[in-house]
Amino acid sequence: MPQAVVIIGVQWGDEGKGKIVDYYASGADMVARFQGGNNAGHTLVVDGKKTILHLIPSGILHPHAKCLIGSGVVVDPDNFLHEVDLLRKAGIQNLEDRIYLSDRCHLIVDYHKHLDAARESKKAGKIGTTKRGIGPAYEDRASRRGLRVADLYNETAFEEKLKENLAEKNFLLQEYYGVEAVSMESFMAKYREIAKKLKPFVRDVSAIIFQAIDDNKKILYEGAQGVLLDVDYGTYPYVTSSQTLPSQAALGLGARVPKDTLFVGVIKAYSTRVGEGPFPTELKDAFGDQLRESGSEYGATTGRPRRCGWLDLVAVKYAIQVSGIKNIAITKADVLSGISELKVCIGYDYQGKRLNTIPADSSILNQVTPIYETLPGWNEDLSKIRNPQDIPKNLQNYLKFIENFTGTHINLVSTGAGREAVIDIQKAF
Ligand code: GDP
Ligand code: IMO
Ligand code: MG
């Protein structure tokens, strides 16, 4: 059994990472987020009750699990405190003893959200972001203008940095985007209050996880978004602003991952994407609408309808190549039940030539025609199946095809949104 498991999304996000993390978390001492922010929407369904988490790690419904937010995560304190409040109201106890927020996390503050929204309101260059301020916050981190959690506790320095930042941000907001400026006074008053409320959660997360690894604790790392949204390796520029690859698990928490770590990529049995950007296997027809309805494909963060399409194994194989993933969890196989023939994309036709990977210039993907393999579907209801031997023959065939095409091993098949709906082929914890 590995000491740690890193879970990442292999497509364009929303693969079902939250469900898989919640499932594995029963055997973990700690669950840690290492990148992204509250652009994520991770859905857990336990005893029929749905919980959507944006920032708090998906282990929170297991009372024994500590939940860590590493320095690679950008934190909107409004969202953090709101989520904590919702969890408290749902009866989750001792949150201050269970949620550890790194003092090195960059804050998403009001002007980041205003800038994100203002940019998105312009037609040209629209990414279709979640408007949560993710991009502007990561920009400030890289350009060394960011405000970090630790800065909240050094008021003079905070005020000084803020003054400089506001001069620049307000110029952009007012003069370039023609929207309202952010006032220094109300900003300081708001963040003074936030500093007090966040304090019980703030920790040196790097030191905590370092010690936990040394103490042989079981650690579950929770990725957000997916490889195809990675800022370098995704379908740039239609990506998020963080690194979503498994190597980010170490960087975003400030400690190595244990030697004995299992890396698991989550793949939805078909494809979805929310926001703009190329999507070769998208189905813009009634069948795409049917997939959206049967898969409840509406954004967990913004409620936007997700674009739906066939499984794109060229994109998945590429994502596996750049992330180094060898083990897979497949979700939403149940959504495909009852479809007589299933298509999977095994290549792209680009101007008469075959393309077998995702090119750096992702605009090429808008001009390709997918080359499909057609596989027979299955009609069985998968919801009660727990034993790998009971997997219907045609689903076994579909899974084998994915394994062979991508050179991976399927460890788990998820057959419903609920925690219990899992065929655990090779146990992780
Ligand atoms: P994440 O962002 O990767 O955690 O995924 P989301 O939570 O945004 O979207 C996945 C959606 O599919 C959620 O509504 C889940 O409850 C649901 N889900 C996860 N796994 C399964 C599954 O195997 N079958 C079905 N039908 N739904 C699933
Ligand atoms: P989870 O963790 C799906 C998408 C947005 C947009 C692009 C950039 O739930 O899988 P951003 O707000 O990050 O600047 O938006 O990335 N996006 C996601 N799509 N799932 C997510 O997270 C996403 N997080 C960001 O829709 O296209
Ligand atoms: Mg999601």
Side-chain angles (χ1 to χ4, degrees), residues 12-14 17 39-42 128-130 224-225 229 239-240 274 304:
W12 285 284
D14 302 330
K17 299 175 292 295
N39 47 350
H42 296 172
T129 74
T130 59
Q225 290 81 52
L229 288 173
V239 293
T240 191
V274 58
R304 289 178 291 177

Side-chain angles (χ1 to χ4, degrees), residues 9 12-18 33 35-43 53-54 116 120 127-136 138 222-226 229 237-242 272-277 299-302 304 306-307:
W12 285 284
D14 302 330
E15 298 88 350
K17 299 175 292 295
R33 279 276 310 265
Q35 46 72 230
N38 61 315
N39 47 350
H42 296 172
T43 314
L53 299 165
H54 302 286
D116 197 357
E120 284 292 307
I127 304 287
T129 74
T130 59
K131 299 186 188 168
R132 299 299 190 265
I134 305 294
Y138 276 116
E222 176 178 11
Q225 290 81 52
L229 288 173
Y238 298 97
V239 293
T240 191
S241 300
S242 67
T272 62
R273 168 159 215 176
V274 58
E276 308 297 316
T301 297
T302 56
R304 289 178 291 177
R306 293 176 182 150
R307 301 156 63 192

Side-chain angles (χ1 to χ4, degrees), residues 2-27:
Q3 188 189 345
V5 180
V6 177
I7 304 284
I8 62 149
V10 176
Q11 294 151 306
W12 285 284
D14 302 330
E15 298 88 350
K17 299 175 292 295
K19 185 242 156 104
I20 303 298
V21 170
D22 170 68
Y23 173 75
Y24 280 150
S26 64

